[in-house]
Amino acid sequence: MSKLTPEAYAAGLSRSRAFDALPRADDEQKPARVPRITVRRLAFVSVWLLMQLTVLVYKIYRGSAAGDAFGGYLKGVEALMMTCLSANFLLMAPTLMRMLRATPLRRVVNFDKTTHAHKFVAYTLVFWVAHHVISHYVKFHQLEVSSHGKMKMVDLLYRKKTGQVGHTMLSLLTVLLLAALPAVRRRFFEVFYLLHHLSFVIVILIFVHIQAHTFQYYIAAPITIYLVDRLYRMVRARMNRPRILAVIQHPSNVIELRFARNGLKYKAGQFVYLCVPSLSWHQWHPFTLTSAPEEDELSVHIRVAGGWTQRLVGTFQQCARALPPRMTMHARRTIDRRQIQSVDSDRTLTPSYHPGLPRGGGRGAGRGGRAQRQPSSRGARYPPDPGHRAGARPSPRANRLPSPPSLPPLVAAQLPTIMVDGPYGAPTQDVFDYSHILLICGNIGVTPMSSVLKSLYYQLTTAKLSAGVKKVYFIWSCRDVQALEWFRDLLAALDMEDIGDILEIRTYLTAQLPVDQIRNIALSQSAGGPDAVTGLYRSPTYYGRPDFGSIFAEIGQRNPSTDIGVFFCGSRELGRSLFKLAAKWTGELKHRGTSFAYHDERSTE
């Protein structure tokens, strides 16, 4: 462990200019959304297309040998349609993917991107369906011509059972595809989710449309695996109904939900699906676990942005208003309904917090003409923590990180029931496979990183840190000051530990601050004292955008002959930029044996 004092450690950081912030560019244009090309993605597309081309050529060859090349082509297209449909069902079986992720195949196949593979396979399915329909139109037209009108094309297409079922499937597939368009999926997710179940109707119609042995050969096994997977997840989730322990309101429209673990085993960075039956039985929303595997309870941070999250907050507020006026003295001390804010006209949370920056521009509040720094609360709590002292720093080598007390049974009984399905794999769960780790996140993308940092804290304070972990860089870019309150206790606990040689924390504020706020930051910042924004002693706040080019170069130069794991969660645009930088500096530092292994997951910001 490093023995440097906080002042000496901060001075050492100031000598490195690589982490300095860039000026905020107001007129910065977002790059166009172009699919990112990676080696694994290119390999998957190549293997998939080569396999399909091989099957098609083989079927045409068999048909030619029998004197019917066109018939062989039709059989080839049919086989490819069935293959695509089967693969799509297997790719959407999370339990199967989780099992495969635990095998050596994970070194070759990225099982975290199965949704991307599902989309690409669906595109190829649409391509072959179009070929199948056009080919049969051509075939039936040829039959009408060769029979001199005795066999009508209209009768073959619309009056025969095969044609009627085929056109019904085509109509359902068109509806399903339209509902899956990004513009529809993002604005009307429930519509997308419900209409996607038309795939089961299509499978039933396929059984009627094709020969039984073809259905058994291509569809029976994959659809059985998918249904067993889904039934298992449904039963598991409905049996896992943990008790809600605390609901914490954080700044910037974020709430933290803490609930019982119920024996759930998971890794740092994994996610779960949550369902609130009182809101909707069929809506399952994914949330990254922000708790550490070493903790006895689970927690998730939820941004209040959509209709479901707003209804969830409204349900908690109704429970707060429904509390009986007469309760035990302990309950009255624990629960303060004034801390539970109402929903404003835009149905967003009205924050109840005191930012860690002094308000106003007065100088005479403290000695020496400086405004005294206001202590910052950790967000409105339901219930508030009676033992929490605002601005208090956790004691070093504490066994547990600060957490709110459990809800009294009377209150817990009135809260809505939640169901938990998971955990499921995410790229961040492999973070401790690397000796040198670079964690980058933007705004709410900090959630998987918080789980990693908590786990790191417990490993450090219990001397159980993996021998392979030598250095961790944590970079968090936020738009506003209030967002830094979400994990203030965690950052303060890490800052208190004498781990400067293992963990480096960088926080960046990218939004433009009012002049009064800038003045008060300057007045509140004292030499050798804590940072005026975060309250951290060892980790200063930077103002502006991170210069990731310099950061990658600096980290690469510091660590020769090292594989550095880069883990990112944030916006799509920033992820593309970081992916290019990781590839660029891997090439430029190849002579030093340094490489950046890039992993990412997209946040909802």
Side-chain angles (χ1 to χ4, degrees):
M1 298 294 179
S2 172
K3 300 302 181 182
L4 295 176
T5 64
E7 293 80 4
Y9 181 75
L13 294 181
S14 64
R15 289 194 291 268
S16 175
R17 313 307 300 175
F19 292 90
D20 285 356
L22 295 173
R24 183 179 181 274
D26 294 326
D27 57 348
E28 184 176 2
Q29 298 292 330
K30 289 187 178 181
R33 291 186 175 181
V34 180
R36 193 175 69 204
I37 299 176
T38 64
V39 174
R40 285 183 173 181
R41 184 171 295 183
L42 187 61
F44 171 78
V45 171
S46 301
V47 170
W48 181 254
L49 295 181
L50 181 61
M51 181 195 70
Q52 299 212 324
L53 182 62
T54 302
V55 171
L56 185 62
V57 171
Y58 174 73
K59 292 291 185 178
I60 294 175
Y61 173 77
R62 290 283 302 271
S64 299
D68 186 8
F70 186 71
Y73 168 78
L74 291 177
K75 290 183 178 180
V77 171
E78 178 182 329
L80 294 176
M81 286 192 301
M82 298 299 102
T83 302
C84 292
L85 187 62
S86 302
N88 261 340
F89 276 106
L90 293 177
L91 288 170
M92 288 293 100
T95 307
L96 174 64
M97 295 297 107
R98 182 185 177 189
M99 294 171 60
L100 292 175
R101 200 181 193 280
T103 66
L105 282 175
R106 62 188 287 268
R107 301 182 181 274
V108 181
V109 182
N110 188 357
F111 290 103
D112 299 319
K113 302 294 183 181
T114 53
T115 302
H116 294 222
H118 171 79
K119 293 178 183 178
F120 178 76
V121 172
Y123 294 148
T124 58
L125 172 61
V126 173
F127 176 80
W128 293 122
V129 166
H131 271 254
H132 179 77
V133 173
I134 294 173
S135 299
H136 276 80
Y137 269 71
V138 173
K139 176 183 178 180
F140 292 152
H141 175 70
Q142 291 176 347
L143 286 175
E144 182 179 15
V145 173
S146 61
S147 66
H148 303 289
K150 294 181 179 179
M151 300 178 66
K152 297 292 185 180
M153 179 178 176
V154 175
D155 295 338
L156 295 172
L157 289 174
Y158 299 105
R159 294 177 183 173
K160 293 282 188 179
K161 178 182 178 181
T162 304
Q164 293 174 347
V165 173
H167 281 92
T168 303
M169 287 192 294
L170 182 62
S171 302
L172 294 177
L173 182 61
T174 302
V175 173
L176 190 150
L177 290 174
L178 291 176
L181 293 175
V184 178
R185 185 180 71 249
R186 291 168 186 161
R187 295 189 60 185
F188 308 101
F189 184 82
E190 282 191 67
V191 174
F192 156 77
Y193 177 78
L194 292 175
L195 289 181
H196 234 59
H197 287 77
L198 290 174
S199 56
F200 295 109
V201 180
I202 293 175
V203 169
I204 296 174
L205 294 176
I206 288 175
F207 179 76
V208 178
H209 188 65
I210 64 177
Q211 297 177 354
H213 72 275
T214 304
F215 183 88
Q216 295 174 0
Y217 186 79
Y218 288 102
I219 304 295
I223 194 66
T224 301
I225 293 174
Y226 175 82
L227 291 176
V228 170
D229 182 283
R230 185 157 185 170
L231 180 63
Y232 165 73
R233 289 185 290 118
M234 182 180 66
V235 173
R236 179 183 63 179
R238 278 155 178 75
M239 292 178 62
N240 186 13
R241 302 190 179 197
R243 182 172 67 91
I244 296 177
L245 302 177
V247 182
I248 308 170
Q249 178 186 326
H250 289 290
S252 300
N253 286 351
V254 170
I255 63 170
E256 179 183 355
L257 188 64
R258 291 177 177 260
F259 47 93
R261 183 164 179 169
N262 287 0
L264 185 70
K265 296 181 180 180
Y266 66 100
K267 295 181 179 180
Q270 290 187 321
F271 71 95
V272 296
Y273 286 94
L274 293 185
C275 175
V276 182
S278 60
L279 300 181
S280 175
W281 272 91
H282 64 268
Q283 287 195 47
W284 292 85
H285 293 263
F287 296 103
T288 301
L289 291 169
T290 54
S291 53
E294 293 81 1
E295 294 181 317
D296 298 327
E297 60 187 34
L298 303 179
S299 67
V300 294
H301 282 64
I302 303 173
R303 167 176 282 182
V304 184
W308 185 86
T309 54
Q310 291 172 355
R311 295 200 305 272
L312 177 64
V313 171
T315 301
F316 290 139
Q317 292 166 350
Q318 290 177 5
C319 293
R321 289 191 291 268
L323 292 177
R326 292 188 178 183
M327 302 180 66
T328 64
M329 181 62 68
H330 170 72
R332 286 201 298 270
R333 287 197 305 265
T334 304
I335 301 169
D336 182 2
R337 280 181 288 178
R338 292 175 298 177
Q339 297 288 341
I340 306 301
Q341 301 300 304
S342 61
V343 178
D344 59 22
S345 58
D346 295 328
R347 295 197 60 77
T348 59
L349 279 177
T350 303
S352 172
Y353 59 90
H354 303 285
L357 301 178
R359 296 181 180 272
R363 288 174 171 260
R367 293 183 180 180
R370 290 195 175 189
Q372 295 296 317
R373 184 167 179 263
Q374 299 290 335
S376 171
S377 70
R378 296 182 296 176
R381 297 177 178 273
Y382 180 52
D385 185 353
H388 170 65
R389 180 168 56 89
R393 304 180 67 188
S395 59
R397 301 295 177 188
N399 290 329
R400 313 302 296 175
L401 287 168
S403 62
S406 299
L407 287 165
L410 179 62
V411 181
Q414 298 186 28
L415 291 177
T417 300
I418 63 172
M419 297 187 294
V420 179
D421 178 28
Y424 293 105
T428 318
Q429 73 180 65
D430 299 326
V431 65
F432 292 114
D433 292 345
Y434 295 88
S435 61
H436 292 70
I437 304 163
L438 174 58
L439 305 176
I440 305 174
C441 50
N443 295 291
I444 197 64
V446 71
T447 51
M449 311 309 175
S450 69
S451 180
V452 173
L453 293 177
K454 286 181 180 180
S455 183
L456 178 67
Y457 172 84
Y458 288 120
Q459 293 182 46
L460 288 168
T461 54
T462 57
K464 294 182 179 180
L465 182 64
S466 172
V469 178
K470 298 178 180 179
K471 190 69 177 181
V472 179
Y473 304 91
F474 173 64
I475 299 176
W476 185 11
S477 176
C478 296
R479 295 192 186 97
D480 54 76
V481 176
Q482 289 77 21
L484 295 172
E485 297 282 331
W486 298 340
F487 298 99
R488 180 186 182 88
D489 291 337
L490 171 61
L491 296 180
L494 289 167
D495 189 63
M496 280 294 294
E497 294 300 324
D498 195 13
I499 54 176
D501 56 343
I502 295 180
L503 176 65
E504 290 188 19
I505 300 174
R506 299 288 185 279
T507 54
Y508 291 80
L509 279 176
T510 60
Q512 289 183 339
L513 300 178
V515 175
D516 288 344
Q517 201 170 33
I518 296 174
R519 181 186 300 112
N520 282 278
I521 290 175
L523 293 173
S524 302
Q525 186 66 61
S526 60
D531 184 81
V533 176
T534 61
L536 306 182
Y537 279 81
R538 298 175 176 269
S539 307
T541 299
Y542 296 83
Y543 301 92
R545 297 177 294 111
D547 185 359
F548 286 112
S550 298
I551 291 173
F552 273 81
E554 174 75 10
I555 294 176
Q557 294 290 340
R558 288 186 191 178
N559 304 285
S561 303
T562 305
D563 293 330
I564 302 171
V566 181
F567 295 85
F568 168 73
C569 184
S571 65
R572 184 200 303 262
E573 291 76 16
L574 182 54
R576 295 181 189 279
S577 175
L578 293 175
F579 171 76
K580 294 177 182 178
L581 286 173
K584 172 187 174 182
W585 286 104
T586 296
E588 294 194 9
L589 297 174
K590 185 177 181 180
H591 65 285
R592 295 173 57 87
T594 302
S595 65
F596 292 91
Y598 181 77
H599 310 265
D600 71 343
E601 54 185 298
R602 194 180 309 164
S603 71
T604 56
E605 64 173 339

